[in-house]
């Protein structure tokens, strides 16, 4: 894995943004995999400031909570609309459907979409427990898009986005590790000391389903962009 260590979150966003734009500019069509959470916010801000040409870009997001209406303030649909889709004219935008009675079918449909539009570049964050998208520890590395029950640790980390703790959904629909690994290129961003343990495991640990991000060791085109704090436990 190619590792770029920079000073802080702002620098991470700059490096990731520039790599992403370079990848899709001038391409007839490009499928860009996007992520939510705190980590990509600075990247999306740069998109809003610089407004690159994205009419050739189809976006596919990693995941969505189960049981929230698309226009719910805390859904990932709303997050993406507010951060990006209301500001730039992408060719198409897709997120998994977590608000349906037939979640199995929603997973199947999303996997079909990914087969139709293979991801050229996938942006990822990493959870404190090493999860990628919502693939929690214990998820086999070949899983397609599926329904997950969120761990206490993930619900805890994400509760800041909800008014009440009990509002944090218990389940989500997520691209699987198998789906993510099919992306031709992956950029993972992580900043801050809270991510240091997960980053260390991902880079220095053995392949282990208990740290989903270690799966990335098997991918041939991954760039990890981290700040000094997130990298601080590596090689120690
Ligand atoms: N489903 C998202 C992940 O895609 C994200 O990478 C992770 C880290 O979030 P943050 O960037 O806020 O630390 O949180 C959530 O669980």
């Amino acid at each position: 894995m190619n590792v770029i260590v920079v000073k802080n979150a702002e620098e991470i966003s700059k490096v990731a943004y520039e790599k992403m734009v370079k990848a899709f500019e001038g391409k007839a069509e490009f499928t860009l995999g996007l992520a939510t959470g705190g980590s990509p916010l600075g990247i999306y801000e740069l998109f809003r400031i610089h407004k690159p040409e994205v009419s050739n870009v189809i976006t596919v997001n990693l995941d969505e909570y189960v049981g929230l209406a698309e226009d719910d303030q805390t859904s990932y649909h709303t997050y993406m609309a507010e951060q990006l889709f209301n500001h730039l004219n992408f060719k198409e935008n897709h997120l998994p459907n977590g608000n349906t009675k037939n979640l199995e079918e929603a997973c199947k449909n999303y996997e079909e979409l990914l087969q139709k539009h293979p991801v050229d570049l996938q942006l990822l964050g990493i959870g404190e427990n090493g999860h990628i998208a919502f693939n929690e520890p214990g998820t086999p590395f070949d899983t397609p898009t599926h329904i997950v029950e969120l761990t206490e640790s993930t619900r805890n980390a994400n509760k800041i986005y909800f008014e009440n703790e009990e509002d944090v959904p218990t389940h989500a629909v997520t691209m699987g590790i198998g789906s993510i690994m099919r992306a031709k290129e992956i950029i993972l961003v992580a900043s801050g000391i809270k991510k240091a343990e997960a980053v260390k495991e991902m880079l220095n640990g053995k392949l282990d389903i208990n740290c989903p991000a270690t799966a990335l060791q098997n991918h041939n085109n991954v760039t990890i962009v981290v700040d000094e704090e997130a990298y601080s436990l590596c090689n120690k």
Side-chain angles (χ1 to χ4, degrees):
M1 287 191 269
N2 176 23
V3 182
I4 301 176
V5 186
V6 295
K7 272 223 125 28
N8 51 35
E10 201 183 326
E11 294 291 312
I12 292 175
S13 299
K14 243 194 247 169
V15 171
Y17 170 78
E18 279 163 16
K19 276 179 102 33
M20 288 165 77
V21 174
K22 212 181 241 171
F24 64 68
E25 68 187 355
K27 300 272 160 57
E29 192 177 277
F30 192 92
T31 302
L32 183 61
L34 296 174
T36 51
S39 309
L41 287 174
I43 301 173
Y44 299 153
E45 188 184 1
L46 292 172
F47 270 91
R48 295 196 301 274
I49 293 171
H50 299 294
K51 292 217 172 3
E53 176 57 51
V54 291
S55 57
N56 57 333
V57 179
I58 295 171
T59 71
V60 288
N61 260 78
L62 288 169
D63 44 19
E64 177 58 287
Y65 289 115
V66 166
L68 298 182
E70 282 186 12
D71 63 355
D72 189 291
Q73 207 38 48
T74 51
S75 76
Y76 284 165
H77 278 79
T78 299
Y79 169 108
M80 289 309 300
E82 289 179 349
Q83 294 300 323
L84 212 52
F85 302 156
N86 290 348
H87 309 273
L88 287 104
N89 283 322
F90 290 95
K91 185 169 186 177
E92 292 171 26
N93 298 310
H94 302 275
L95 285 95
N97 180 7
N99 192 28
T100 166
K101 284 213 174 78
N102 199 340
L103 288 168
E104 293 291 348
E105 194 185 324
C107 293
K108 199 172 139 259
N109 291 344
Y110 208 64
E111 216 32 52
E112 276 167 20
L113 174 87
L114 296 173
Q115 306 280 354
K116 188 166 153 216
H117 297 294
V119 176
D120 291 297
L121 172 61
Q122 177 67 56
L123 175 66
L124 289 180
I126 184 170
E128 288 166 35
N129 61 3
H131 74 246
I132 47 175
F134 270 134
N135 292 282
E136 298 283 20
T139 312
F141 286 170
D142 59 354
T143 41
T145 300
H146 63 292
I147 306 151
V148 281
E149 181 170 4
L150 303 176
T151 62
E152 210 41 52
S153 144
T154 298
R155 294 185 72 230
N156 222 0
N158 287 322
K159 72 180 181 206
I160 47 165
Y161 300 107
F162 294 83
E163 207 168 312
N164 305 302
E165 206 172 324
E166 55 276 15
D167 294 340
V168 187
T170 54
H171 292 75
V173 176
T174 183
M175 273 193 213
I177 298 177
S179 336
I180 293 170
M181 291 292 283
R182 287 200 307 270
K184 292 173 200 139
E185 181 176 359
I186 294 174
I187 298 179
L188 183 146
V189 293
S191 73
I193 199 71
K194 279 186 172 174
K195 300 293 170 73
E197 200 59 57
V199 168
K200 177 186 167 198
E201 255 335 277
M202 167 175 66
L203 292 173
N204 303 150
K206 286 198 305 275
L207 272 187
D208 183 353
I209 61 167
N210 292 315
C211 180
T214 59
L216 301 177
Q217 293 174 10
N218 278 340
H219 194 285
N220 63 9
N221 194 0
V222 182
T223 304
I224 312 288
V225 192
V226 285
D227 63 7
E228 286 164 4
E229 281 190 15
Y231 193 65
S232 58
L233 297 178
C234 293
N235 306 318
K236 277 189 186 157

